[in-house]
Amino acid sequence: MHRTVGLRCLIAVGLSITLLSGAPPAEAQEASVTARVGVVKLLPEAEQPISRLDDTPPNEAFAGATRATADNATTGRFLGHAYETLEVTAAPEDAIGSLDGLLNEGVRLFVILAEAETLLALADHAAEAAPDAIILNAYARDDGLRLDGCRANVFHIAPSRAMVADSLAQYLIWKRWDDWLIVSGEHAGDRAMAEALQRAARKFGAEVVETRVFEDTEGMRTSDSGHVLVQRQIPVFMQGAKAHDIVLVTDENELFGAYFPFRTWDARPVAGDAGLRGQTWHPAHESWGATQLQRRFERDNGRHMTELDYQAWLAVRVIGEAVTRIGSADPSTLADYLVSDAFEIAAFKGKALSFRPWNQQLRQGVLLADGRSVVTVTPLDEYLHQRFRLDTLGFDEPESACSLN
């Protein structure tokens, strides 16, 4: 159930999180710089997950933002910088009202978790109501937001679908699994991801031998007999497919993809939104000091860090890193600095991350992981680029329909 948090509650929540960050109230009052960040979650109510192990934590994303606020405060207390995080949960139809509530409180830095249509509405409204406000997109992966739908006041923390598709393609080509069979869901996001995989195949030299559309049936979710229906339905659906090396499933709403591993007609691996998945974060990730963040988060929350937790953490840390470097929380100054060559941030992925100035997408590696382990981290060493190897993932500047720089 979604609800809109009133302004008094917003202030209380923001102050409570500042206290949790370890910055004493007196210190916050004496701070020379204060960064106030509104973290706004505007997602439609999700379907019940296929597996009860995948229940959505009630504080997902907010827990990551809180952890990042504490990390920012660790450095901030020595520099006279203070951080406040104000949390809002609302239904997508209440997006503008939620944004206005924070704008009226003087907030100009936003981390938004919303689907593309809602994000664009917020960006356009903010451009009119508060031209200096900046939005960090921590959820929407639509390629159009980074192409002809780009906005000057939006910075993308979440990777695009093209980045995730390219990460899978690099590894599959390295494995010489060149022939792909794509199984797409019926929803718009599923079709968009299937198109991103088609593009990745052309880019890296794979062949999509066939594409099939899977129709979800509610009976597959029945706990008493669902597995029986699945065991019969999936092999029949996959029967007679053209010769392929791997099955790529696009199922962003997680309605059917989890049923495909070990149930296909031919003995083939599964990737995409099931099996081997491209992710920004994974609980098993330990490299480049990631275990330290994992343990801090688990100590705070008693659970593992999810992708949305990480993306919200990274968004708030981007703000903290920039404030630390330039000694200012002025949004216009921050925006200029984020797209400059001087900005970079370490995020436990082995390479410093930075923003692409032409569309304000954060360059970042993508983890390829199955249920229990990280298989590899992309981009792979075999794929080169004239400037940033991270730009081998997603639309590079010559391909982009966006030119914000």
Side-chain angles (χ1 to χ4, degrees), residues 148-334:
D148 53 356
C150 64
R151 298 292 192 272
N153 60 350
V154 178
F155 293 78
H156 301 284
I157 302 298
S160 65
R161 289 192 180 98
M163 291 170 67
V164 176
D166 287 355
S167 71
L168 285 165
Q170 286 191 4
Y171 182 70
L172 299 183
I173 294 299
W174 182 79
K175 289 288 293 181
R176 299 187 179 179
W177 295 341
D178 301 341
D179 295 330
W180 302 353
L181 189 156
I182 296 176
V183 177
S184 172
E186 302 174 286
H187 297 276
D190 302 336
R191 295 194 298 270
M193 189 62 195
E195 292 174 3
L197 289 169
Q198 294 270 8
R199 172 188 169 275
R202 295 189 296 269
K203 179 177 178 179
F204 291 99
E207 181 180 357
V208 177
V209 299
E210 188 177 350
T211 299
R212 297 186 174 192
V213 177
F214 187 86
E215 298 179 3
D216 180 42
T217 59
E218 291 297 326
M220 295 173 65
R221 290 175 172 270
T222 303
S223 59
D224 291 337
S225 60
H227 68 282
V228 177
L229 294 175
V230 171
Q231 192 165 321
R232 293 174 179 172
Q233 185 176 3
I234 300 298
V236 172
F237 174 80
M238 294 297 292
Q239 194 171 2
K242 294 182 180 179
H244 56 282
D245 297 318
I246 190 166
V247 177
L248 295 175
V249 175
T250 65
D251 173 33
E252 293 193 350
N253 293 311
E254 300 185 345
L255 300 177
F256 66 89
Y259 293 129
F260 269 73
F262 306 106
R263 293 186 175 100
T264 56
W265 182 265
D266 297 305
R268 297 293 183 271
V270 175
D273 288 320
L276 185 69
R277 304 181 63 172
Q279 302 175 250
T280 54
W281 195 252
H282 190 274
H285 182 46
E286 298 179 291
S287 302
W288 304 296
T291 303
Q292 298 174 23
L293 176 58
Q294 303 275 26
R295 288 176 176 168
R296 290 200 303 272
F297 184 90
E298 290 160 4
R299 181 192 62 218
D300 294 344
N301 298 282
R303 63 173 177 83
H304 296 310
M305 189 179 223
T306 69
E307 280 194 282
L308 288 192
D309 289 321
Y310 176 77
Q311 287 164 199
W313 173 87
L314 183 53
V316 176
R317 277 290 298 122
V318 161
I319 293 171
E321 185 71 16
V323 169
T324 297
R325 298 281 188 89
I326 63 177
S328 172
D330 173 70
S332 297
T333 305
L334 286 175

Side-chain angles (χ1 to χ4, degrees), residues 21-24 27-28 30-33 70-83 324:
S21 74
E27 196 170 326
E30 297 170 1
S32 60
V33 174
D71 292 343
N72 288 343
T74 299
T75 301
R77 68 169 58 94
F78 297 105
L79 299 175
H81 300 168
Y83 298 88
T324 297

Side-chain angles (χ1 to χ4, degrees), residues 52-107:
R52 63 186 300 270
L53 300 179
D54 295 329
D55 284 342
T56 302
N59 65 343
E60 187 176 35
F62 293 138
T66 300
R67 180 64 256 165
T69 303
D71 292 343
N72 288 343
T74 299
T75 301
R77 68 169 58 94
F78 297 105
L79 299 175
H81 300 168
Y83 298 88
E84 299 178 11
T85 305
L86 290 75
E87 300 175 358
V88 178
T89 300
E93 56 267 28
D94 298 324
I96 300 299
S98 299
L99 185 72
D100 281 341
L102 290 168
L103 288 173
N104 290 336
E105 287 298 308
V107 178

